[in-house]
Amino acid sequence: NSEKESAIKKLQEKQYGNGGFPWFKGMEPNKYITTHITAGFGKMKKMGISEDSRVTEMMKKSVSYLDYNMNRVYNDIKEKKRYHISYSDIHYLYARSFYLDSPVSSEYKESYNYFINHAKLQRRDGNKYMQAMTAIALYRNGEIQTAKEIMKSIKEYALESEELGMWWKSEGYGFYWHEAKIEKQSMMIEAFSEIASNPEDIESMKVWLLKNKQTNSWETTKATVEAVYALLMNGTKLLSETKTADIKLGSKNFDEVFGKVEDKNSGTGY
């Protein structure tokens, strides 16, 4: 459709020859936004959504750009006796894990293995959001047992109630991308679905996500996209929930005062 065509053309125009994307036109290519875009299309790919050939070509270039940049990081730090893997490194490994059908070139294989090994060694470092992201990257790279150990540890920190479902307490103040609560919950659903599949736990996590929208909001387009992806993953169809909120103004029902509302948000009751 026209919206899809417009979006693809905008991305094509913004992508530089080296494969990187800038935050805004005219700016330098940025590793974070390139990683974010690459992971986003990776999720569509994983869901079986047919890729436009133009998107395939863009992602081929963006993956090459990310591999090249991580190799540059590796060359800067490889002589260090100690290196603490960063959230940016983990983000890269996660995004790259959607494209393992495009093997890392021999030129960058040493650096790639270096970051995979450090992710494995430092798997318990960082917040739970990053641990879940690490687990997915390791799992897809064949580190099955390590990934399952990470998820087992994460589960031990979960909070749960019959009404709100399953969630994890906030870590940090939410100022940084790796502290975002909706994206964190969505990542948990993805990780548990892929690695430690327990249908009851997964549906409980989805309940928290929907309850959060019902009582607060998904504050950004980024959060909304991640939440929708998580909810569309395997499991029951929570978005088909037909219960509605019971709202009263004094002694009268909402419908009596304003009339019946036909358009309701899926899964929220509103």
Side-chain angles (χ1 to χ4, degrees), residues 56 63 65 72 74 78 112 117 135 161-162 179 181 216 218 240:
T56 302
V63 166
Y65 168 83
R72 287 181 60 189
Y74 171 67
K78 64 182 179 181
Y112 183 78
N117 289 334
S161 78
E162 185 175 347
E179 297 173 347
K181 64 180 181 179
N216 297 295
W218 296 336
S240 64

Side-chain angles (χ1 to χ4, degrees), residues 180-187 208-209 212 217-218 223-224 227:
K181 64 180 181 179
I182 300 301
E183 289 89 325
K184 172 183 178 179
Q185 185 75 4
S186 301
M187 183 62 64
W208 184 92
L209 205 53
N212 190 276
S217 67
W218 296 336
T224 301

Side-chain angles (χ1 to χ4, degrees), residues 15 61 109 115 133 171 244 260:
Q15 188 177 33
K61 291 167 65 178
K109 193 67 176 176
F115 289 109
M133 190 177 281
E171 297 171 276
T244 57
K260 190 172 182 180

Side-chain angles (χ1 to χ4, degrees), residues 123-124 128 131-132 135 144-158 166 168 188 191-192 195-197 201 205:
R123 58 188 178 274
R124 297 189 186 279
K128 298 298 176 290
Q131 287 180 26
I144 309 299
Q145 190 56 41
T146 302
K148 288 184 176 182
E149 288 174 4
I150 295 171
M151 299 314 299
K152 181 180 179 181
S153 174
I154 289 174
K155 175 68 183 298
E156 293 172 357
Y157 290 87
M166 182 183 293
W168 284 260
M188 291 299 181
F192 275 92
I195 302 168
S197 185
D201 285 347
M205 293 174 213

